[in-house]
């Protein structure tokens, strides 16, 4: 069960390391509070969808706890071999023996099974292909104020992912082309993050920390074809040491400054520096001005570094890197009833990892650092309290992306085309949401999502061809109504209704 989701936009590798190129999404697990309480829910819908969940939370002295379990199944949109199954278990226990010390243990398991009847061209031809994935994550977060101003924190993490695909021959007659494939991947990540926070004054915090990551993957694959079987496997490991520092400084109550830097020392690609700086200034008129600049990186995946079989990895790859800057303005009007925001952003992506064709059996790597692209745009947001229980929210994004270096690819139907936009990035996108909450007993919302034209690749033909997907508008409706309030030992009962794509709009996306 989730309590809230926070989104940090822009490059955030200074604190989070690899992959925090354009932002970070942090999910906070619900914390138990008060007397023990439980809940159970069930929902069903089209395509044979069925979901149910249970949760238990509460407090016991210095400890709080929250546990949940959920199961979701669906028959899928195709007539056969399109089932989906997902089981999720999560738990969080927090202990605070005194006002200076806390420890939180979080555990999450997610297991899924997905059946897919389509081949690489999107044709519904396969009756037994499926994928499996089991993912377990554990985190132990320890914190203690050593003095009134100095806080020490240690975060221990462990993640294990077992995944694989199974597409055996459909029958004795299935012997043409590539007619069988199996793969197995075992990925393990363990890490420790130790940091010290020095609270100098209200709103001013100096942070210094060390991050260690150990990653290991074992993969194997087997392919059957009319030209004979082929096999590939690899087992690899790499470690990363990260050192970072950040200062969040309050400049007299109206302005705040953030500066930070990080050095990563990776066994695969060596040393890499990133930085981030931001400034925010508040005016008495309810205006907030902000600006930020920073860099980030994305490390190569294990298959890109060490893959074998259909694609040869390249152990000499550099991480993909980005440089971004943005300026924004936020304005509050009519005592906060109207909230407006606008942000202009500019991003540069370099050393993008690109797949290239090499002759069959060649020892040359399939992955190289060569492609580059730019992206810039404008984001506008507005929220208006139309009445005490009625709120309108709207957002619009204008995005201009362009490939600067197509690398080894050429022709108008390649993945990277010089001067053309990046795939699947619409130039225009907008969302409007109307929410009505007359009381704590019920909520109603109406949302419209617009996605403009965007370029993509059509894999139904060989070689693939570049196409333009038409824009679309999807309308969703939702309602929640408390049918019976909880009282004493009597449980409460709440009904929900959600209609996605209420106007039956035809659209295509990945």
């Amino acid at each position: 069960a989730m309590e809230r989701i926070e989104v940090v936009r822009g490059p955030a590798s200074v604190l989070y390391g690899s992959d925090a190129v354009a932002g970070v999404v942090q999910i906070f697990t619900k914390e138990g509070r008060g007397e023990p309480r439980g809940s159970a829910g069930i929902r069903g819908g089209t395509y044979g969808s069925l979901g149910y969940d249970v949760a238990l939370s509460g407090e016991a002295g210095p400890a709080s706890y929250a546990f949940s379990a959920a199961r979701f199944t669906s028959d899928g949109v195709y007539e056969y071999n399109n089932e989906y199954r997902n089981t999720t278990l999560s738990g969080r226990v927090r202990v605070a023996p005194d006002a200076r010390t806390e420890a939180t243990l979080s555990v999450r398991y997610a297991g899924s099974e997905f059946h897919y009847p389509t081949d690489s061209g999107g044709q519904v031809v396969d009756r037994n292909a499926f994928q499996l994935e089991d993912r377990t994550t554990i985190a132990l977060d320890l914190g203690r104020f050593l003095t009134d101003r100095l806080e020490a924190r240690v975060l221990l993490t462990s993640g294990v992912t077992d995944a694989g695909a199974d597409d055996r021959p459909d029958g004795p007659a299935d012997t043409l082309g590539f007619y069988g494939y199996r793969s197995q991947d075992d990925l393990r990540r363990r890490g420790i993050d130790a940091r010290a926070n020095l609270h100098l004054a209200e709103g001013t915090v100096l942070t210094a920390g060390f991050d260690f990551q150990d990653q290991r993957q074992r993969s194997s694959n087997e392919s059957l074809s009319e030209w004979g079987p082929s096999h590939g496997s690899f087992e690899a490991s790499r470690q990363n040491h990260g050192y970072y520092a950040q200062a969040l400084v309050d400049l007299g109550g109206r302005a705040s400054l953030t500066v930070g830097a990080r050095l990563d020392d990776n066994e695969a690609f060596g040393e890499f520096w990133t930085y981030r700086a931001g400034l925010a200034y508040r005016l008495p008129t309810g205006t907030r001005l902000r600006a930020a600049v920073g860099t980030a990186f994305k490390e190569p995946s294990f298959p890109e570094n060490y893959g074998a079989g259909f694609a040869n990895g390249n152990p000499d790859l550099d991480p993909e890197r980005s440089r971004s800057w943005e300026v924004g303005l936020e304005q509050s009007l009519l005592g906060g009833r109207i909230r407006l925001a606008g942000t202009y952003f500019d991003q540069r992506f370099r050393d993008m990892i690109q797949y290239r064709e090499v002759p069959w059996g060649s020892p040359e790597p399939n992955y190289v650092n060569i492609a580059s692209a730019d992206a810039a745009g404008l984001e506008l947001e507005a929220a208006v309290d139309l009445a005490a229980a009625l709120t309108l929210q709207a957002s619009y994004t204008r995005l201009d992306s362009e490939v600067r270096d197509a690398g080894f690819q050429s022709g108008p139907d390649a993945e990277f085309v010089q001067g053309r936009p990046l795939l699947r990035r619409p130039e225009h996108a907008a969302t409007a949401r109307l929410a009505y909450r007359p009381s704590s007993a019920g909520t109603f919302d109406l949302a419209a999502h617009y996605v403009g034209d965007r370029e993509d690749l059509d894999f139904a033909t060989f070689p693939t061809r570049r196409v333009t997907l038409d824009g679309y508008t999807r309308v969703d409706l939702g309602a929640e109504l408390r049918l019976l309030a909880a009282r004493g030992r009597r449980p409460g009962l709440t009904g929900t209704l959600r209609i996605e794509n209420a106007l039956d709009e035809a659209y295509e996306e990945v």
Side-chain angles (χ1 to χ4, degrees), residues 227-277:
W227 304 282
S230 61
H231 306 267
S233 64
F234 71 85
E235 184 172 357
S237 65
R238 63 189 179 195
Q239 294 181 345
N240 187 86
H241 298 78
Y243 311 87
Y244 59 90
Q246 177 178 275
L248 175 61
V249 183
D250 179 31
L251 303 175
R254 292 197 178 277
S256 61
L257 173 68
T258 303
V259 292
R262 179 185 181 101
L263 171 64
D264 282 275
D265 186 3
N266 191 282
E267 281 188 333
F269 54 79
E271 295 183 352
F272 197 89
W273 281 94
T274 52
Y275 69 87
R276 179 179 173 87

Side-chain angles (χ1 to χ4, degrees), residues 389-450:
L390 188 63
T391 302
L392 174 64
Q393 295 177 315
S395 63
Y396 166 76
T397 300
R398 164 72 161 80
L399 176 65
D400 180 22
S401 65
E402 182 179 353
V403 174
R404 293 296 187 182
D405 189 345
F408 288 97
Q409 298 183 0
S410 61
D413 295 322
E415 179 184 2
F416 294 96
V417 178
Q418 198 91 10
R420 298 299 300 170
L422 291 167
L423 294 179
R424 309 180 190 107
R425 269 74 164 186
E427 184 178 359
H428 304 281
T431 297
R433 183 183 301 275
L434 188 65
Y436 179 54
R437 294 174 172 81
S439 68
S440 60
T443 62
F444 306 89
D445 66 87
L446 168 66
H449 311 275
Y450 170 75

